[in-house]
Amino acid sequence: MSLPLTGPASAQPTAAPRADAAHNRRKILDAAATIVSEQGPEALTMNAVARASGTGVGTVSRRFGDVSALFSALLDDREQRFQQAFMAGPPPLGPGAPPGERLRAFLHALADRVIEQRDLLLAGEAASPMARYHHGAYLGLHTHTAMLIRQLRPSADASLLAHLLLAPFAPSLITHLTRDRTRTPEQIKNAVDELLDSLLTTG
């Protein structure tokens, strides 16, 4: 004897729309990231994202509102992925490695992230230069860096050292180094290693 669809089973029709919405959101964000990476942030329009993602302009607008909100969502999405990697990913970036190794892996990963997403991050920095230091994303990076420094140098001013270690990763400086000075990611990471080695061997 068949049973009527009640309880959890009756909720199945709403599962598909939620899954479709999440899938569309992912497609839109991935398409937006590709446009910024390949054409620059000025090419990011609702029409361009709709075409690249295979969705309608109305869908993009309903999901994100306008280009400014789409920029913010894209930044948050990339930041959440990065935070997940250094907070819960495999070592040495994630937990399980000695603090010195974790800090080095973290700074290298941060260099790669800023270089890869410099146009997107630079657009956000240009809109409000000082806002970076009050944003939850930067505060998360700073808290993590200070925690590792504190483990390495308990008597040091970990908060100040964390700010100074993160300073070279300002999007404007990374853009200047990689574009104007043609420095490679490897050269930047080697220079970061020299700064870090001074911290680890002093005091």
Side-chain angles (χ1 to χ4, degrees), residues 151-184:
Q151 294 174 8
L152 290 165
R153 300 271 305 279
S155 62
D157 187 341
S159 178
L160 178 57
L161 286 175
H163 283 301
L164 296 178
L165 268 183
L166 292 173
F169 300 99
S172 54
L173 177 57
I174 290 294
T175 301
H176 170 67
L177 291 175
T178 55
R179 287 186 177 164
D180 301 338
R181 299 299 181 183
T182 64
R183 295 291 187 170
T184 66

Side-chain angles (χ1 to χ4, degrees), residues 29-30 32-41 74-75 77-79 81-82 107-123 169-171 174-175 178-179 183-186 188-189:
L29 288 174
D30 288 344
T34 299
I35 290 171
V36 171
S37 174
E38 295 179 353
Q39 304 175 47
L74 191 54
L75 284 167
D77 178 69
R78 292 307 187 257
E79 185 59 37
R81 290 186 178 193
F82 184 52
L107 295 176
H108 281 206
L110 182 58
D112 286 334
R113 175 180 177 268
V114 176
I115 292 169
E116 178 186 354
Q117 300 169 27
R118 60 191 172 190
D119 288 327
L120 182 61
L121 295 168
L122 188 62
F169 300 99
I174 290 294
T175 301
T178 55
R179 287 186 177 164
R183 295 291 187 170
T184 66
E186 202 59 37
I188 291 173
K189 285 188 275 191

